[in-house]
């Protein structure tokens, strides 16, 4: 396992970045299909996975946050304050959205076994926690759309910088150490 260094992200950071990029891509496609084509075959296939994949992403983002904190001093420096704030905003959304989804699930008093693991047992209806379900209703989907916009902006910036001799950051996350600046 190669650690991060000033020129590039190491293998575990890349693994977390690309696995979560795939997972978040899946979540956003499932959400878009669910809001635009509820009766489609694609929705019938993807929507039942939404809570399960989202719960796995919750675990991964906690690992990724801890890993980022441990590696802060070793990582490539941000290109600008805006890039740094943008990355932290992505972290904040990646953490808050599934957490709010899980709180709503807990508040609903319904049993929940993501990926077959019994995490919340079902409770009596009278033990529903209203603020948790209200928070989910008010913020979960809305923040999900903000994440969609932020991810598109992130990809656009990484792509935009790729031809710059000084600001091409793609090799930090893709490719060999020889190509990373
Ligand atoms: C990174 C993880 C997640 C992302 C990006 C995400 C994104 C979204 C988005 C954008 C919507 C709105 C869809 C629409 O308007 O039709 C949505 C809905 C929903 N999500 Fe998630 N989600 C995530 C994790 C979770 C988790 C962990 C749960 C539950 C354990 C969950 C449960 C739900 C439910 C029940 C809805 C339908 C109700 C609503 O629109 O709020 N999601 N999600
Ligand atoms: C095709 C999709 C993507 C590409 C090409 C891409 C590219 C990159 C590149 C080149 C970097 C290094 C930037 C630098 O050091 O200045 C980076 C970092 C980062 N990316 Fe992405 N990215 C993609 C998808 C995503 C997604 C979906 C997310 C999550 C919402 C994400 C979150 C982050 C974060 C938080 C960082 C900071 C480093 C870290 O802590 O992992 N990326 N990305």
């Amino acid at each position: 396992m190669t650690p991060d260094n000033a020129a590039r992200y190491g293998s575990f950071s890349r693994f977390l970045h690309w696995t979560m990029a795939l997972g978040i891509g899946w979540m956003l496609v499932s959400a878009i299909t669910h809001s635009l084509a509820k009766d489609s075959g694609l929705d019938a296939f993807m929507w039942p996975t939404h809570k399960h994949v989202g719960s796995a992403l919750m675990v991964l983002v906690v690992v990724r946050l801890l890993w980022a904190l441990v590696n802060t001093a070793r990582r490539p420096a941000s290109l600008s304050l805006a890039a740094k704030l943008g990355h932290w905003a992505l972290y904040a959304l990646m953490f808050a959205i599934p957490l709010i989804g899980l709180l709503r699930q807990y508040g609903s008093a319904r049993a929940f076994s993501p990926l077959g693991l019994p995490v919340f047992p079902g409770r009596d209806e009278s033990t529903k926690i209203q603020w948790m379900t209200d928070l989910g209703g008010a913020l979960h989907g809305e923040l999900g759309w903000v994440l969609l916009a932020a991810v598109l902006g992130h990809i656009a910036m990484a792509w935009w910088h790729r031809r710059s001799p000084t600001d091409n950051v793609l090799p930090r996350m893709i490719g060999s150490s020889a190509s990373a600046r």
Side-chain angles (χ1 to χ4, degrees):
M1 197 162 84
T2 51
D4 294 351
N5 64 42
R8 62 198 292 268
Y9 293 94
S11 52
F12 191 56
S13 298
R14 288 171 178 219
F15 165 78
L16 288 170
H17 178 271
W18 292 114
T19 313
M20 288 195 69
L22 215 68
I24 285 167
W26 182 272
M27 296 305 289
L28 292 173
V29 172
S30 76
I32 292 167
T33 316
H34 193 65
S35 62
L36 297 181
K38 236 182 197 137
D39 296 325
S40 64
L42 187 61
D43 185 54
F45 174 65
M46 292 192 86
W47 189 248
T49 69
H50 186 91
K51 291 182 181 179
H52 299 274
V53 177
S55 305
L57 285 168
M58 180 82 246
V59 175
L60 283 176
V61 78
V62 170
V63 174
R64 184 165 173 188
L65 268 166
L66 295 173
W67 184 249
L69 292 176
V70 171
N71 281 277
T72 320
R74 276 194 283 268
R75 293 197 148 177
S78 294
L79 278 189
S80 61
L81 180 63
K84 189 183 210 143
L85 294 177
H87 289 159
W88 281 108
L90 287 171
Y91 270 110
L93 290 166
M94 285 191 284
F95 183 75
I97 295 165
L99 179 67
I100 291 172
L102 287 165
L103 281 176
R104 172 171 53 194
Q105 185 68 40
Y106 181 74
S108 75
R110 288 196 299 268
F112 185 49
S113 302
L115 303 165
L117 297 170
V119 173
F120 308 144
R123 306 187 308 275
D124 188 79
E125 283 270 310
S126 62
T127 64
K128 272 190 180 171
I129 305 170
Q130 195 65 34
W131 72 264
M132 289 188 180
T133 52
D134 288 350
L135 181 75
L139 285 183
H140 178 78
E142 281 65 14
L143 289 180
W145 299 128
V146 174
L147 178 63
L148 171 64
V151 164
L152 293 177
H154 172 68
I155 296 171
M157 291 315 284
W159 194 247
W160 174 264
H161 285 305
R162 81 192 187 287
R163 292 207 191 286
S164 158
T166 50
D167 292 352
N168 180 14
V169 286
L170 277 176
R172 292 175 169 190
M173 205 48 103
I174 310 169
S176 69
S177 54
S179 54
R181 41 176 295 273

